[in-house]
Amino acid sequence: MISSHKRSSLDRDTTFYAPKVACFACYDSGIVSNGDGLLNDYLTDYDATVIDGVLHRHGGLDLAIICHCNAAYESQDFESQTTRSGFRDSSGVKSTDINGRQQAIGVDPDKDMMRKIHHKRKDLWEKSAKDLNSLRQQVRAGMTPQLPDYIATVKQQLKSVDQLLPSFD
Ligand SMILES: [Zn+2]
């Protein structure tokens, strides 16, 4: 029984870590994520519409993009019990019955594109971790570090966050 509510020093570690996943294209979920918009570098109109040359993103607009990594396949435990049903099998992306018609549960993307997204996102996470750990070290040393552009921009945007949200009164 633990008698103290204080965390161990290891648990109080303030190091910023990139996600610990095998696949940065889908973050080991089997479905390619686009939270950072990186997918739009390859598929311009994915989950988006282009109006007058400006990209408007709407998550969930298009079919899911099924990754090529292991996370997209069924997995079983030692008793051959299925622990994850998977989005693919040996014949490709699985389909589902929608009102008597078979429809693929997602699209099969180009393997090379997935590989590029995985590597690019992995590099970006590594860069972010390096930046943030450097900033945290500077703050701990009592300095006021210069924020990288991408943090300064979000900080500026958050100042007007009340205008981003709809008003209900
Ligand atoms: Zn994946």
Side-chain angles (χ1 to χ4, degrees), residues 23 25-26 28 67-69 71:
C23 175
C26 72
D28 296 351
C67 201
H68 283 280
C69 74

Side-chain angles (χ1 to χ4, degrees), residues 1-7:
M1 181 73 185
I2 297 167
S3 57
S4 170
H5 58 275
K6 295 295 177 195
R7 290 181 185 276

Side-chain angles (χ1 to χ4, degrees), residues 21-34 39 46 63-74 84-88 93-94 105-109 114 121:
V21 291
C23 175
F24 282 85
C26 72
Y27 295 98
D28 296 351
S29 72
I31 293 180
V32 178
S33 72
N34 193 30
L39 197 49
Y46 184 75
L63 288 173
I65 292 186
I66 310 301
C67 201
H68 283 280
C69 74
N70 284 339
Y73 292 87
E74 179 179 296
R84 188 176 60 210
S85 61
F87 305 110
R88 286 178 184 275
V93 171
K94 291 181 184 177
I105 55 172
V107 286
D108 202 1
M114 290 300 98
R121 211 172 255 158

